[in-house]
Every structure is written in structure tokens, then in C-alpha cells.
Amino acid sequence: MTDLPVDQVRTLLAVVDEGTFDAAAAALHITPSAVSQRIKTLEQHTGRVLLMRTKPVRPTESGQVVVRFARRLAALERDARAELGIAAGSGAARLPIAVNADSLATWFLPALTRVPQDPPICFDLFHEDEAHTATLLREGQVMAAVTSSAEPVAGCLVRPLGRVRYLPVAAPAFAGRLLARGPLAAQLPEAPVIVFDRRDALQDRFVRDLTEGAHGAAALRHHVPTSEGFRDAIAGGLGWGLVPEPQATPLLRSGVLAQLAPDRRLDVPLYWQQWKLDVPPLALVARTVADAAATSLYQP
């Protein structure tokens, strides 16, 4: 292999971003058979299988390498065009960013509204748990991520943003019944719990801390995969859970929620990771996000 044909590399990126060969064909204004042929030729050229033909399509480990190259190439091309004053389509730089649901529901979207839009920037947000957003960086699907991992992904820079504070809460009636039965450490491991999804380990982590490692959260758990729905499920009495302090505070004040342990909380550190790439829109977003985090999150 001596080089990577640019049209084939761009086609691979379009397939990964659009999810299917047909959607990539529409985005590139070519036929699906042309997309398929380009991908096949690129795989022959590299001697690697680059895509898993699932729905949506996902890159293999080798494909992730090519996708990361394709994103860097596209970003550098946009930057060069801007410096040369050459129009490039819509003129908007596309920034794919992975962010967790709780950040989206509290401080992150207000931060993005502070980013100047001259020249315009198109935000392509990927919704993922903070413990797994780094995976999307590693796969090349995003250029930056809000993550709980301090360990930089290969080829990335990492900077601390601050700590998001979670409070253990429940509906007042639920909390009253639970605490009337005995000490919280004895009751919480058996109490119905709300979790975000099957990878959400925050509630288990809190119970292990409370019980000195003896127990996790109960097996009776409701999966509610939106930040607002998670909060509402707790307020409705389905179970207890950990809610970010900015969301919990007004509901605690109004009596909609009650704290299960006013002297306990769970702090999760967040980090900003981004590719080592000198692209002005990415640098601008990074600075704006860091400034917003400095006033929105707890600092060390």
C-alpha cells in the first residue's frame, strides 16, 4: 500500500457517518453501487476489512484508523479553504462531539450557544454515557468528547473540566417508607432503583460506598434512558436514583424530591478530550466549553 485514495477515504467516512451505503450514496450524490465499489476497492487496497456490514454500519479496528485519517483530512481541508478564502459548500465546519446525557441536560448546551457562529459551526452531538464517550473518540466517530476518563485516547489531548455532583433522591413518600424500615445502608440494596441504561453503574457505585463494598443496587431496576425521564421516574415514585445537583435542587426545594442521605453525595470528574489537530473551530469550542465548565461544575 503506497497511498490512500482520497475519494475512497471520503466515501468510507460518509458510510460511517450516514450509517448505510444508501444514505452515503445520497449524501455524496453517487449511486449505492458506486459507494460499494469504492469501499471494496479501498479494502482491497489496504488488505483489511474496514466495515462491519451491520445496521448502522460500524468501522472495524482497521476501519477506525482510516476514519480518523478521513476526519483529520476533512478538517485540514476546511481550514486550508478558509485561509485561502475559497468557499466550501455550506461553509459550516462540522464538529462531531460525544457528550453524556446529564451534561446535555444541564450545562453543555448553554455552553455551545456561547460559541461564535461566524464562520458557522455545525454541531453533530453523539449521546453516550460519560464512561464510554472515549470509545467514540477511539473509533474515530467524534473529534472531541466529554468523558469521565482522564487517560487520553491515542492522538488526543485531555483537560479536566470539573466535577458533576449527584445527589441520592427519591419521591418523599418513597423515601419515607424506605427510611422507616431501618438504616439506609440496610434498605437501599433491596430498594427499587432507577438506572439510565444497562451500563449505568452510578447507583451501584453509591450503594457499594454506602455498604463498604458489601452490596450493589437492587436487581429490581427500571431503565429510563433520558436525563429528564430519569428524573421524572424518580419523582413519580418508581424508585430512587442519583440526580445531578442542578436538576435535583429546585425539586428538593419544592418538595417534589427528598434526599435519602443529606450528608452523602457522589462526585464524578469530567474531562474534555479532543484530537491533536490544529483546527480553529475545534479550539474555539474547547475554550468555550472549558470556560462554561469552570462556572457550572465543581472545581478541585
Side-chain angles (χ1 to χ4, degrees), residues 43-54:
E43 289 181 326
Q44 291 172 341
H45 190 75
T46 58
R48 304 283 196 281
V49 175
L50 301 176
L51 291 177
M52 292 181 281
R53 269 66 169 181
T54 54

Side-chain angles (χ1 to χ4, degrees), residues 145-180:
V146 175
T147 174
S148 61
S149 174
E151 183 68 25
V153 172
C156 289
L157 301 170
V158 60
R159 67 189 297 178
L161 293 174
R163 294 172 287 115
V164 57
R165 178 159 294 173
Y166 289 86
L167 303 180
V169 297
F174 184 101
R177 291 193 302 270
L178 187 68
L179 296 174

Side-chain angles (χ1 to χ4, degrees), residues 56-68:
V57 169
R58 295 188 67 84
T60 63
E61 187 173 345
S62 296
Q64 292 168 16
V65 175
V66 181
V67 167
R68 288 195 295 270

Side-chain angles (χ1 to χ4, degrees), residues 174-214:
F174 184 101
R177 291 193 302 270
L178 187 68
L179 296 174
R181 296 173 187 152
L184 187 64
Q187 301 304 317
L188 210 55
E190 303 298 326
V193 62
I194 312 296
V195 296
F196 189 82
D197 59 24
R198 284 162 181 79
R199 294 189 295 187
D200 179 7
L202 285 185
Q203 282 67 218
D204 289 294
R205 179 177 159 189
F206 180 82
V207 177
R208 288 193 184 97
D209 288 346
L210 184 67
T211 62
E212 299 181 342

